[in-house]
Amino acid sequence: MFKKWFDPSRKVLKQADIIAKKVISLENDVAKLSDEELRNKTEEFKNRFKNGETLEDLQVEAYAVVREASKRVTGMTPYYVQVLGAVAIHEGNIAEMKTGEGKTLTAVMPAYLNALNGEGVHIVTVNEYLARREVEGQIGNIFRFLGLTVGLNIRELTREEKQAAYDADIMYSTNSELGFDYLRDHMVLYAKDMVAQRGLNFAIIDEVDSILIDEARTPLIISGGAKNNQNLYERADRLVKTLSDEDYEIDVESKTIELTPSGINHAEEVFGIENLYDLQNVSVVHHINNALRANYILAKDKEYVVQDGEILIVDQFTGRILQGRQFSEGLHQAIEAKENVQIKKETITVATITYQNFFRMYKKLSGMTGTAKTEEEEFNEIYNMNVIVIPTNEPVIRVDASDYMYSTMEQKFKALLDDVEARHKAGQPVLVGTIAVETSEYLSLELRKRRIPHEVLNAKNHAREAEIVEKAGQIGAVTIATNMAGRGTDIKLAEGVVERGGLAVLGSERHESRRIDNQLRGRSGRQGDPGFSRFYISAEDELMVRFAGDAFKRRIQMIQNLNEDKEAPIESKMFTKFVTNAQKRIEGSNFDSRKNVLKYDDVLRMHREIIYKERRDVLTLESIEEQAIITLKKSLEENALDFVDTTIRNPKVDYEALVKFFDGPIFKEGTLLIEDIQGKTYEQVLEHLNHLADIEINNKKTTIPPEVFNEFLKVIMLRIIDTYWMRHIDTMSELRQGVVLQAYGQQNPLVIYQKEGYRLFNELVANIGRDITKYILKANIQVNVEREAVVKNTATNQGSEDKAKKQRVRKIRGRQAPWR
């Protein structure tokens, strides 16, 4: 009762109901407008916004205009419940709308409204196919009919094409492309090359749970260069394959693995080292841990598949192959060693960000999905978004039957196949949901034995997805699908299927996330259609093994033995509740894991924001002489202070060491003489250093034109910032792996990471300052200087970059850069 009372949906829906009724009341008035008058409403709204009206003031009229435009362009008029969803989205919430309720059309209303301020709206989809479908199809036509521009941002576009997409009023894009564009924008050499010129204003994320939760732990990585450590992967793999069961320990519940004392001894013998956990052996430990995970935790045809000598990752939430992606931190190479395929070189990370931190940079964020309520706490805590459950347009009449439980997998699959066969004979279409590729292939083999025609939709067969889904609602159709049969596509029922009970969805096991189970159920019973769903579970399923073990299996067998029919399923609310609780525990554990990732990434986020701001200033400011001089003076002061003994009452300066440090390495040799500073106080010495710097800077400025001096400063600052930032990311990554061991010493790894990260960042800033100072004071400026990228041939962890998107280095009348 209290949960319902304090549910944010109540308050939002109450307010949304008032707005929706006002929108619908304008239907007849707006219908009288001609096409031209309807289109002119956009310009009228924009002018009213400029004259002080808010988007909230315009909301009712704007939504009414969109409803009429949709009716004229597509023949579809958004329902009352879709207007409710549109109100929730505009307020920065997540609209939970069931499958088939028209989320795509719902998003048009808040997107149109928020585009009126001229700052741009990004609509984010889970794949390029969906983004292209909306832009080139009827949805894009609604926006164009109303006089708005619509852009499509996909992978293969050139920079100029991407800029045009970002400049559009409404831009459709995938989540990964947006993230990579942000990272690439902070690697360009000229401000004009940045694609997102207007910043991040408002995003509507379709399938928001998939993007902000399922993919939250996957960082976006741009890499370049290569580490040469292939041999270490092979040695670690050989070691791990020779281990006995006593040499390692697996925690089934948390899916972690580690060496036991006997395993550690064995590793030390093989690698010829005295202490495996000595600091100098961090790299060896890292490779062994990856080899352990690759061999004993990750399974072929479940977490990954091998195709054409390549390791391809399978998304555990959608069942799709994640084309071009790699497991990070060397795990991918460890799997390649395990499967004996060619080991790709591990690359150096040049830029990285998580989806969590990227999407939190938007001024306003909202989303829509069919399943989000179970993760409401996370959405609220991490993204400050509430989940608003929008009622369905027609009542849901699908029958969600209770789970059938068996003691063994063999019994479960036999019963499932019997059910499929009976429904197929009756002409009812059946969708069998599986979690792993191997399960879908096993069931396909068994159906072939029974001579039941069927289609299989899994990571190995994703190319025919649209065709398979289209036929899944035909009379007697049988479709076996991993979790991919869900996102963005509807299974439409053929004539005569409704009379046969609609689509039957049969789950071959429970997923560790309740959302994925709900999605599978949601394939059936759309828009008031009849339907049926049931899950078949056994005590040998992974979920049950992880959280129940042998005791649970014995209990099921005992109950089965009491029945006259030993093969009969067990239907029990108690066992169903147990399964749900196991799912809740995993969801809680995954939430904690994502929160932990975010806490670590927040450390790097603060560093990234500071460095990216500095870099953006270098690109966008007309002159950066003032910033460069401030950096130089601060660096001189901090470095000079290192040679002053401040522990005594009258601070003493080490003149010889100070001259040795500055004369030659920082200033040109012979500039700073010991007789000029001998006997002076620290303040006087600093004043003299600043005076020498001023002379050197003025000499440079008098010999070359001001624009060349300014370009020289930009060249060295970009080069130095990029070089040190790239090293810093790599150092922080190694630190992240290293601090885990601090837990054994009763210390909080996160606290150590934060403290050490703070020290490393200060070191980074000091190094950047020192190098900028050195180049300003020592470099012989040529009249021709050029900007140059620190790392070339960059690739992303979602595949190599397209040639068209390589950074174009524009030469500025020159051949040689000043630091060479």
Side-chain angles (χ1 to χ4, degrees), residues 320 457 461-470 484 489:
R320 286 187 170 88
L457 176 56
N461 195 22
H462 64 95
R464 292 180 55 234
E465 180 178 353
E467 182 193 334
I468 292 169
V469 169
E470 206 175 295
M484 67 201 298
T489 49

Side-chain angles (χ1 to χ4, degrees), residues 539-554:
E540 292 176 349
D541 291 351
E542 189 190 349
L543 186 71
M544 296 295 98
V545 171
R546 279 176 70 184
F547 284 91
D550 291 338
F552 183 77
K553 186 178 178 180
R554 285 195 297 272

Side-chain angles (χ1 to χ4, degrees), residues 624-780:
I624 55 156
E625 186 180 332
E626 189 182 334
Q627 282 86 334
I629 303 300
I630 290 169
T631 302
L632 180 145
K633 296 286 171 80
K634 192 179 175 188
S635 180
L636 289 177
E637 185 181 339
E638 286 173 354
N639 284 308
L641 202 56
D642 290 341
F643 302 98
V644 182
D645 184 356
T646 54
T647 58
I648 51 179
R649 182 173 289 182
N650 296 313
K652 192 177 174 188
V653 181
D654 186 341
Y655 301 109
E656 281 187 23
L658 189 143
V659 169
K660 195 176 178 183
F661 177 84
F662 279 101
D663 193 54
I666 304 293
F667 288 94
K668 288 177 183 172
E669 207 166 332
T671 303
L672 181 63
L673 306 173
I674 195 162
E675 51 266 30
D676 292 338
I677 59 170
Q678 193 82 46
K680 290 186 176 179
T681 64
Y682 161 71
E683 287 77 15
Q684 290 170 326
V685 170
L686 183 60
E687 195 179 326
H688 184 65
L689 289 172
N690 284 332
H691 175 63
L692 292 175
D694 288 339
I695 291 171
E696 182 57 42
I697 290 164
N698 287 328
N699 284 343
K700 283 182 166 62
K701 286 170 73 175
T702 53
T703 55
I704 54 171
E707 65 274 11
V708 175
F709 181 67
N710 189 48
E711 182 62 21
F712 158 75
L713 293 177
K714 289 195 174 198
V715 164
I716 62 167
M717 286 180 84
L718 279 176
R719 179 76 178 196
I720 291 162
I721 289 170
D722 287 351
T723 302
Y724 278 107
W725 175 241
M726 193 177 79
R727 287 183 202 164
H728 183 69
I729 292 172
D730 221 33
T731 307
M732 291 296 285
S733 175
E734 286 172 6
L735 172 65
R736 171 82 188 274
Q737 293 166 37
V739 294
V740 176
L741 297 172
Q742 298 291 333
Y744 294 109
Q746 304 300 307
Q747 295 194 65
N748 185 337
L750 179 62
V751 173
I752 304 286
Y753 182 77
Q754 287 168 333
K755 284 181 180 174
E756 190 63 12
Y758 179 71
R759 184 190 68 76
L760 286 168
F761 184 69
N762 286 337
E763 208 174 89
L764 164 82
V765 172
N767 286 337
I768 289 173
R770 190 190 65 244
D771 274 21
I772 287 172
T773 302
K774 181 167 44 174
Y775 284 121
I776 291 175
L777 296 176
K778 284 189 73 179
N780 293 317

Side-chain angles (χ1 to χ4, degrees), residues 417-430 452-453 473-478 494-504 506 532:
L417 290 160
D418 288 345
D419 194 357
V420 172
E421 189 169 12
R423 291 178 189 275
H424 170 67
K425 281 177 180 169
Q428 185 178 19
V430 180
I452 297 172
Q474 301 293 319
I475 289 176
V478 176
E495 210 173 304
V497 169
V498 169
E499 292 77 15
R500 288 170 168 84
L503 178 70
L506 305 177
F532 176 85

